[in-house]
Amino acid sequence: MNFCSNCGSNTIGLIVPQGDNRERYVCGNCGIIHYQNPNIVAGCLPVWEDKVLLCRRAIEPRLGFWNVPSGYLENGESVEDGAKREVWEEAAAKVELDYLITLYNLPKINQIYLQFVGELVGGAFGVGEESSECALFTEKAIPWEEMAFTSSTFTLRRYFENRRLGKKILHRGAYPDL
Amino acid sequence: MNFCSNCGSNTIGLIVPQGDNRERYVCGNCGIIHYQNPNIVAGCLPVWEDKVLLCRRAIEPRLGFWNVPSGYLENGESVEDGAKREVWEEAAAKVELDYLITLYNLPKINQIYLQFVGELVGGAFGVGEESSECALFTEKAIPWEEMAFTSSTFTLRRYFENRRLGKKILHRGAYPDL
């Protein structure tokens, strides 16, 4: 942050505002405080019979690696709507959300993952613009060594655990561990 | 947003960037895209024996109304740490987190609430800087007509439902309804 987005001044300082307890970007001219907060990454693991749908990333970061359809939640969206939109954008597929399986923290990069399990409607999917390939995998066939993010692996492992138990448990995790 | 925080130009336009599907603030000079995304409000309902701890707000909005200790998640924080910090800041109390009870969407104001149930350590609490009063309430004694936010009411109702059932169910909601 080099300039104030409110008044255009270049007198931005990193200071602790009165009544606050941490450093913020504050404009030395107009006094506005520019708060910065973590982003939500919303996603859904689409399930069809004994398989799950994964997408191979056509974009950086981690181009070429497999992922659970997920992406930044947008203003004006619920987490549920964001998760469904991401499945549509990445896999041209529709899901009926079932339950929230994952709250996964990445505090070093200010990301909080919220991922659902959902039913892949009609078992139908395509390949979204951000993917080079989408495919259904049984647990045994999952390319564990080619997963894009630790969050993807976390959600996949917990999903199969839940399925074996016949439960719909929310799992919480973090990288690095809390 | 009147000026670009990167280069200081005042040529900010609301346009759909190439490869995107929604309007963003884009700088006409340096080309940087200024994304805006929802904020997480992290919180925890502290429980002690058959009572829950609420805080009366000493700050706007909803000054004077009662709330489940909650506030904006900060960069570098996990949702768990944010929830515990809010309890400390608002009620000078420590909690042992038990389970995530609430995912509550407020898409019109770009807020996503994530609230836990936790045990109030030792039953001890004070009054934080952002509160004028903190108090333990049985279900019957809760001032339902004086709650600060729909999220507070949602979490409280669901907590007592869960307790009657002996379950730790995550509840999802929204205002307005999805």
Side-chain angles (χ1 to χ4, degrees), chain B residues 77-105:
Chain B
E77 257 184 350
S78 66
V79 180
E80 287 85 346
D81 285 345
K84 289 189 273 191
R85 174 182 52 73
E86 288 293 336
V87 174
W88 178 254
E89 289 181 358
E90 298 190 3
K94 291 189 176 170
V95 279
E96 291 282 348
L97 297 186
D98 185 2
Y99 68 100
L100 186 74
I101 187 169
T102 295
L103 163 57
Y104 191 82
N105 298 279

Side-chain angles (χ1 to χ4, degrees), chain A residues 103 172, chain B residues 43-45 79-80 83 97 99-101 115-118:
Chain A
L103 163 58
R172 295 190 280 116
Chain B
C44 177
L45 179 65
V79 180
E80 287 85 346
L97 297 186
Y99 68 100
L100 186 74
I101 187 169
Q115 292 177 319
F116 293 86
V117 169

Side-chain angles (χ1 to χ4, degrees), chain A residues 2-3 5-8 21-22 24 37-40 73-76 78-80 85 89 105 107 110 172, chain B residues 2-3 5-8 21-22 24 37-40 73-76 78-80 89 105 107 110 172:
Chain A
N2 304 311
F3 297 89
S5 57
N6 183 50
C7 77
N21 52 24
R22 63 184 68 207
R24 314 282 180 187
N37 299 88
N39 282 323
I40 293 171
L73 189 66
E74 298 281 3
N75 273 356
S78 65
V79 181
E80 288 84 347
R85 175 182 52 72
E89 289 181 358
N105 298 280
N110 306 315
R172 295 190 280 116
Chain B
N2 305 311
F3 297 88
S5 57
N6 184 51
C7 76
N21 52 22
R22 62 184 68 207
R24 315 281 181 187
N37 299 88
N39 282 323
I40 293 171
L73 189 66
E74 299 281 3
N75 274 356
S78 66
V79 180
E80 287 85 346
E89 289 181 358
N105 298 279
N110 306 316
R172 296 190 280 117

